[in-house]
Amino acid sequence: MKVVAVPSIPSKIARALYSGADSVLNSLLDFRPELWGLPPFQDWVGKALPIEPWYLGGPVIKGFGRGSKVLGIPTANLPTAALGSQLSQHVCGIYLGWAGLSNRGVYKMVMSVGWNPFFDNAAKTVEPWLLHDFPDDFYGEELRLIVVGYIRPEANFSSLELLIERIHEDAEIAKAALDLLPFSSYQDDKFLTTPLAKQ
Ligand code: ADP
Ligand code: RBF
Ligand code: MG
């Protein structure tokens, strides 16, 4: 028998406790039957896994100010306290979806959810990168997100260059997958553009 473990305790502690397992996964989203001689899952669409969509929104706030914009990867941060239990329900990882800014439009989006192991952050955050070139910042504007698919677990990298390269790959996966059903259907969802008072 082969054993694939999905611990419910923090992975730093779990590593040692589960050393007897053949593989330790962050979540079942990462289970690949074909690695174990089983037929592959059929539900991946263009390198992404459709999920029950989650809806989140809020005003764009200042993030860690680590200058991710300098890396060419600005991430529009939401106030995580307001997301509360919604955030804790979701597995850490890299996701794709649609982003709406009420006065601007709807854009493809790729984001990380978690502690960003490369930077070892103290808080679980959502870091959405809108796949569009904006002429200016939009701090304070209401941002709406519909998260529709999963790409991969969060990872650590031996260099910043490798992290940046991987994030650009994620963006290409998101751009391509968001043109496909079921992902594409959510871009017309009113949630993305409806002003708060009118909801
Ligand atoms: P912070 O640490 O404050 O989040 P970033 O370097 O991550 O700083 O930059 C994020 C800000 O850049 C966003 O809040 C937004 O105002 C702006 N921005 C410009 N273009 C984009 C984009 N394509 N995706 C996300 N944010 C963008
Ligand atoms: N940080 C990590 O430590 N590991 C990752 O695997 C990772 N993947 C990311 C994927 C995407 C699509 C984005 C937008 C960010 C990712 N980051 C990751 C987070 C990145 O370190 C962080 O957003 C920026 O440094 C801004 O603080
Ligand atoms: Mg940011």
Side-chain angles (χ1 to χ4, degrees):
M1 186 173 78
K2 298 289 185 186
V3 176
V4 177
V6 184
S8 59
I9 51 176
S11 59
K12 276 178 191 166
I13 303 167
R15 292 277 164 231
L17 297 176
Y18 287 81
S19 58
D22 294 285
S23 171
V24 177
L25 300 180
N26 183 44
S27 84
L28 282 174
L29 297 176
D30 298 323
F31 183 61
R32 298 288 180 279
E34 64 273 23
L35 299 179
W36 307 96
L38 299 166
F41 289 143
Q42 306 281 317
D43 43 1
W44 284 70
V45 174
K47 295 191 180 171
L49 180 68
I51 57 170
E52 189 62 36
W54 29 301
Y55 292 73
L56 54 165
V60 175
I61 56 161
K62 288 268 175 194
F64 288 100
R66 238 192 264 100
S68 54
K69 220 179 290 172
V70 177
L71 311 178
I73 306 168
T75 56
N77 297 77
L78 293 172
T80 48
L83 304 177
S85 70
Q86 222 189 355
L87 192 53
S88 62
Q89 279 171 31
H90 294 285
V91 167
C92 294
I94 313 308
Y95 294 85
L96 53 81
W98 294 98
L101 288 164
S102 51
N103 297 320
R104 297 174 191 258
V106 172
Y107 308 95
K108 291 177 176 177
M109 179 278 293
V110 66
M111 73 178 200
S112 79
V113 176
W115 280 270
N116 303 316
F118 187 81
F119 297 99
D120 208 10
N121 288 344
K124 185 175 180 179
T125 61
V126 293
E127 303 272 342
W129 180 24
L130 279 54
L131 300 174
H132 178 81
D133 283 327
F134 294 92
D136 50 4
D137 288 347
F138 42 85
Y139 287 112
E141 291 184 33
E142 177 75 12
L143 173 67
R144 299 291 170 79
L145 303 174
I146 306 180
V147 186
V148 299
Y150 174 83
I151 300 177
R152 64 172 175 92
E154 281 192 294
N156 209 336
F157 295 85
S158 53
S159 74
L160 193 57
E161 289 68 32
L162 288 173
L163 171 64
I164 293 171
E165 195 181 314
R166 186 61 236 235
I167 296 176
H168 281 281
E169 264 177 62
D170 297 328
E172 292 310 311
I173 290 172
K175 278 184 205 163
L178 286 163
D179 285 333
L180 307 173
L181 286 170
F183 306 127
S184 58
S185 62
Y186 295 93
Q187 69 185 299
D188 301 319
D189 195 310
K190 292 279 175 288
F191 171 79
L192 292 169
T193 47
T194 310
L196 274 181
K198 293 190 188 149
Q199 275 194 336

